[in-house]
Every structure is written in structure tokens, then in C-alpha cells.
Amino acid sequence: MTVLTGCSVRVLSDMAVGAVAFVDRVSGSWLSGTSGNGEVRAQELTILRRLALASSVALFAVPAGLSFITSPAVALPAGVATVCAAFLFSAVGSIALSRQRPASQSAEAVIVEHRDLMLEAAFGLVLLLDPQGNVTTVGGRDRPEFLSWMRDPTGRGLIEQIHVSDRIVFLQAIDALRQGGDAFCVDLRLERSAVIGSDQQFVHVRVELTARRDAEGRLTAIVGQLRDISQDQQLREDAARKTAEAESANDAKSRFLAAVSHELRTPLNAILGFSDILSGEYFGKLENNRQREYVSLIRQSGAHLLSVVNTMLDMSKIEAGRYELLMEAFSIEDSIATCEAMLALQAKEKGLTLSSRVQRGLGDIVADQRAIQQILINLVGNAIKFTDAGGAVTVDAALADGMLKLSVGDTGIGIASERLASLGQPFVQIQNDYTRRYAGTGLGLSLVKGLVALHGGSFNIASSPGEGTVITILIPFDGSGVTAVQQPVDVNRPVDFPPRLKHTVEISEGRKEEGMDGAAKAKIA
């Protein structure tokens, strides 16, 4: 009996081993055909073995169970069919799931690897922050350089190192990302852990914040990238300081010119007045012609100096934005004739021909007559001064596309092309202080350019050495260019003296335009 039992067990064991071998052989053949690369995984074989074992048991249990419900003739085929179908579905589903799981795991591993690579290779200091602004991870290509002067930024360490007045800016950026923003950039000052030598206590950095969100759009993390902008900040501060110094120097220069001009004009008027009395011999005859000559020289020198002072005062007013324009209609032909009458004697004494050509039916121009007269006198006077005997000076006036075109040409010494750019700057002349043989302050063209600009016009000069010079100005014929560059005068507003620069003058927005008599309008630069 014992021998029979042992033989039965051995037979059953051999049958089980044979069944497992059969299952492995069939499963391996099927798996190698479905994997695509001919490889068979042990995990998949294990799954099929378990399913085969469960199915072999179910082949007896399911038909037996169904036989209690229906007849054995129906229960047997129905049970076998059900078990086979369940085996196939279970095998296919289990194998598919087992093959997808490692792929997703490898993809996640690749993502993690790429994230770590970017965290280490990105320039500057890279920080990963949670939605509350706490630092969780520190990386970046320049991490050693940053950590050499700053404390550990993890946790609340970064916020604690930010300058007190900049913390609110940083927290506002974090809040903007929490409210749905994708990216934010802020400039912060971080405190050094230790100040050595000439190091500044705070380092200027630019922080680029980028939000990371989940599938539902919730903020999960923030990527912060820090870049040291201390040098850029230093350059900006230097530029701002130099600009302020230049503006201050320009302001001081304008005030100085205005003050000097004001203080000089009072005694000059007295000199001119008393020299006129002496030359007229109202209080007694002069004893000889030499005295009369000296009095005449005093009168001429005083008049010249007064002209220079008036030009300096006009220039300071233009630069300070305080030059007033009185807009009115007048004949440009009359202004040119007046200029010719004033300078005809000077041209004749030098042996020059002074002539003018005015377009017929030109009509009246709307501008500041005194400024236009001054422009003509300065241009024609310069042309006469720099033209030798036998030359010619011409003045042309015409209307072109709604613009008054004034041209003053001469056959004088001309100007080199490299000097044209500097011409028109205050106190700049064609010749230097050692070689020049023409008197003057170099303010004439500068004043002309300023007056033309106040009228909304343009200034152009063309010249060649030895061939002469032609200066052309264009001014809106109807005075429309003035409104674009000037503001109405408020007669109730106190006027500062010496005048201030334009950008320092605060103009009240509520002031009202004052009415003007006739066609004249007062304007201020």
C-alpha cells in the first residue's frame, strides 16, 4: 500500500513537472512572438504559469459548479469555454500591464535625470522653491561662486538674506505666480555673509521666477534663476550720476550766463548813454578830434559788448526754456529789406555785393518778428564777416510746401566738412584761438539754431572750403510749428531769475491760456 502511494505521488509530480514544462514552452513561444524583439521576460512567464495553474483548477471547479444549475451536457462545454476565455483575457491583460509599467518608470527616470542635468548645467544659481517661497533644492552652474559669499539659502534662508525693502517685491512676485502668473522677474539685493575689503554689503541680483503646475493648474513649485547684475547696476549708477552732474553743470552755466548778462547790461546802458551825450557835446564842446574819436570808440565798443551780452542772455533763455515768442503776422520782405539797410554800409566798406530775392506774392508770415529779424541779421552778418572783398552775399525767401524757406549764401572762405558738425555749438568758431583772424564769440549760429527750433523749423548748412557757404532754414509759414514745441504763457506764474533749466520747471496742469490782443499770441519755450 505504501509502495502504491509513493508511486502515485511520483507519477503526479512527474505530471506536474511535465505540465509546467509544457506551459513554459508554449508560453515562451507565444511571448517571443508578441514582444517584437524575441525576448522573453521571467516575470511574464511567472504570470502565465500562475494563470495556467488557476485555469487548470477552474476547468474542474467551474463545470462542476454549473452542473448544479443545469444539466451536465450543458455545464461541461459552458464551463470549459468560460475558463478558456477568462484565461486568454487575463493573460493578455496581465502581459500588457507588465510591459507598460517599466516603460513609464523609465520615462520618469529620464525626466528626473534631465531635471537634475538642467539644475546643474543652467547658468547662475538655480533654486527650486515651494509655493510659499521656501527653497527646497539648490543648483546651477555658478552655485559655488554664489555660495562663497551668501549663506545657505534653503528653507527661509533666501528670504532672510534679501534686503528688507526688497522682500515685499519678492513676496509680491511669489503671490503673482500663485494667482496664475507663469513667470516673473525681479531685481533684489542680497546681503553678503561677510564684508571683506572694498566689497559692498549687498549684491544686486536679477531673479527669474517660473511657475511649475500640475495637470489641474495648481502651483506645485517655482524655479528661480539668480544672476549677478552688480556690474550692470554700477554702470547704471555711474551713468545716472554723470547725467546729474552734467545737468547740474548746465544749470550752473545757464544761471551764470543769465546773472552775468543781467549785471553787465545795466552799466553798459550807462556807458552808451553817457558816450552819446559826450559825442553830442550837449554839455560843452570837446577840445579836439582825438577826444571825439575816443568817445566814438567807447560808443562802438559798448554797443558791441551790449550786443554780445544780449546774445548770451538770449542763449541762456533758450537753454533754460524761458525765451518768449510773440507770434504775429508780418511781411518777411520788409524784414529782409530792414536787414539789408542795416548791413549795407558794412558790406559796402568791405567791397561786397549784398542782394536779396523774394518770391513774388509771398505774403505775411506768422512768427516772432524780432526773432526772425535777429536770425537774418546774424546770418547775413556772418556771411559778410567771412567773405573777402569782391565777393557776394545773397538772401533768398520763398514758400515751399507750407514752409518759409530762407537761404543766405556767400562766396566766402567756406567751412571744412569735418567742422560742420561742431558749427552752431555755443562759443565754437571755424578757426581756433591761435589761427583765427575774425572776431566774434561763436554764439551767432547757436542762437539762430535755437530760435529756429523754437519756431518748429529746421536748420541746414552746406559749405566747401574756398567756395562759400549756404545756410538754409525752414519755418512753418503759418506758425503752426510753435505749438508743438512750446507751452502757453501763464502771466500769473512768477518768473525765476536767473532762469532754470526746462526739466526743472514744474508747470501747473491747471493753468489757463491768457487771451492776447489782435493776432498776436505769447508763447514760451
Side-chain angles (χ1 to χ4, degrees):
M1 187 67 181
T2 305
V3 175
L4 182 60
T5 302
C7 291
S8 300
V9 171
R10 186 179 301 109
V11 171
L12 291 176
S13 176
D14 292 339
M15 291 178 61
V17 172
V20 170
F22 176 76
V23 170
D24 288 345
R25 186 168 59 257
V26 174
S27 299
S29 178
W30 179 67
L31 291 175
S32 63
T34 58
S35 63
N37 54 8
E39 296 183 356
V40 178
R41 299 181 183 180
Q43 182 182 6
E44 296 176 357
L45 284 176
T46 303
I47 293 174
L48 291 179
R49 287 173 187 168
R50 293 175 180 175
L51 288 177
L53 177 61
S55 299
S56 62
V57 175
L59 281 175
F60 296 98
V62 172
L66 291 176
S67 63
F68 292 102
I69 301 174
T70 183
S71 63
V74 176
L76 181 61
V80 172
T82 302
V83 171
C84 291
F87 173 78
L88 290 176
F89 280 111
S90 301
V92 173
S94 300
I95 297 302
L97 290 176
S98 66
R99 290 182 178 179
Q100 289 180 357
R101 190 177 300 112
S104 62
Q105 291 176 355
S106 61
E108 292 178 359
V110 170
I111 293 174
V112 172
E113 182 180 357
H114 286 179
R115 184 189 64 187
D116 294 340
L117 179 61
M118 293 299 297
L119 191 63
E120 294 299 327
F123 76 92
L125 180 67
V126 180
L127 304 176
L128 291 181
L129 301 87
D130 61 17
Q132 287 70 41
N134 300 317
V135 177
T136 59
T137 307
V138 180
R141 185 184 62 193
D142 303 323
R143 177 178 57 182
E145 180 181 348
F146 276 86
L147 296 182
S148 65
W149 55 263
M150 66 184 297
R151 299 187 299 274
D152 183 12
T154 56
R156 303 288 294 179
L158 177 64
I159 297 178
E160 293 175 355
Q161 296 179 69
I162 299 177
H163 191 281
V164 175
S165 59
D166 293 343
R167 293 180 185 177
I168 184 65
V169 178
F170 178 73
L171 294 177
Q172 286 176 345
I174 297 295
D175 185 65
L177 297 179
R178 285 201 296 261
Q179 296 298 324
D182 294 328
F184 213 89
C185 178
V186 292
D187 291 345
L188 305 174
R189 288 167 291 178
L190 296 182
E191 185 179 10
R192 291 182 182 272
S193 58
V195 179
I196 302 175
S198 60
D199 292 340
Q200 299 291 329
Q201 181 180 1
F202 291 93
V203 178
H204 293 267
V205 297
R206 176 160 296 164
V207 183
E208 300 280 352
L209 298 174
T210 305
R212 296 183 60 188
R213 305 183 184 279
D214 57 16
E216 298 179 359
R218 291 190 299 265
L219 182 66
T220 58
I222 300 172
V223 180
Q225 193 168 14
L226 280 68
R227 180 168 61 91
D228 191 345
I229 59 169
S230 297
Q231 293 184 352
D232 297 343
Q233 182 65 25
Q234 185 64 37
L235 292 176
R236 285 195 294 267
E237 292 176 356
D238 292 343
R241 185 182 69 255
K242 291 178 180 179
T243 301
E245 291 175 354
E247 292 175 350
S248 177
N250 193 37
D251 189 10
K253 182 260 298 181
S254 299
R255 289 174 175 269
F256 171 76
L257 289 178
V260 169
S261 301
H262 177 73
E263 296 298 329
L264 287 179
R265 284 208 301 179
T266 300
L268 277 177
N269 287 327
I271 292 173
L272 293 176
F274 288 125
S275 63
D276 286 338
I277 291 174
L278 290 176
S279 62
E281 300 181 357
Y282 296 112
F283 297 102
K285 296 289 184 180
L286 297 177
E287 295 183 359
N288 52 58
N289 290 332
R290 176 163 293 185
Q291 290 179 343
R292 294 185 181 90
E293 180 184 0
Y294 289 166
V295 171
S296 177
L297 290 175
I298 292 174
R299 178 68 176 78
Q300 293 177 7
S301 299
H304 175 69
L305 185 57
L306 182 59
S307 175
V308 172
V309 170
N310 286 335
T311 302
M312 292 173 60
L313 184 58
D314 289 339
M315 280 301 305
S316 66
K317 286 181 179 179
I318 291 175
E319 291 184 352
R322 291 293 189 177
Y323 192 97
E324 297 181 3
L325 293 181
L326 183 63
M327 305 300 292
E328 57 184 347
F330 63 93
S331 172
I332 188 64
E333 185 175 2
D334 293 343
S335 296
I336 294 176
T338 302
C339 176
E340 283 188 276
M342 294 177 62
L343 299 175
L345 180 59
Q346 181 180 348
K348 184 178 180 180
E349 290 177 349
K350 287 197 66 175
L352 304 177
T353 301
L354 177 60
S355 61
S356 63
R357 295 175 294 186
V358 181
Q359 179 180 331
R360 182 175 300 178
L362 189 58
D364 293 345
I365 180 178
V366 178
D368 187 314
Q369 185 175 7
R370 172 180 162 291
I372 298 299
Q373 194 75 50
Q374 197 166 10
I375 289 173
L376 289 170
I377 292 174
N378 283 341
L379 293 180
V380 176
N382 269 354
I384 293 174
K385 180 170 65 174
F386 294 107
T387 304
D388 296 331
V393 177
T394 59
V395 182
D396 296 331
L399 180 63
D401 298 329
M403 305 288 285
L404 173 65
K405 181 180 180 181
L406 287 175
S407 299
V408 177
D410 62 65
T411 58
I413 62 175
I415 307 168
S417 57
E418 63 269 12
R419 299 302 304 271
L420 290 178
S422 61
L423 202 64
Q425 298 179 7
F427 305 104
V428 172
Q429 286 193 320
I430 301 173
Q431 297 170 319
N432 59 42
D433 294 337
Y434 301 102
T435 62
R436 72 178 187 175
R437 54 190 176 92
Y438 301 97
T441 59
L443 287 173
L445 283 183
S446 179
L447 180 60
V448 169
K449 292 181 71 174
L451 293 176
V452 171
L454 289 181
H455 283 83
S458 61
F459 176 96
N460 182 58
I461 181 169
S463 181
S464 297
E467 298 182 5
T469 303
V470 177
I471 296 179
T472 304
I473 63 174
L474 295 174
I475 296 177
F477 197 82
D478 56 358
S480 59
V482 179
T483 57
V485 296
Q486 302 199 125
Q487 298 294 333
V489 176
D490 185 358
V491 298
N492 296 321
R493 185 184 59 183
V495 177
D496 299 326
F497 192 88
R500 301 177 184 175
L501 288 176
K502 185 184 299 183
H503 69 275
T504 61
V505 179
E506 294 183 357
I507 302 176
S508 173
E509 296 181 355
R511 67 188 183 187
K512 300 179 180 179
E513 291 190 19
E514 296 294 330
M516 296 298 168
D517 295 333
K521 295 182 180 179
K523 301 288 182 179
I524 187 169

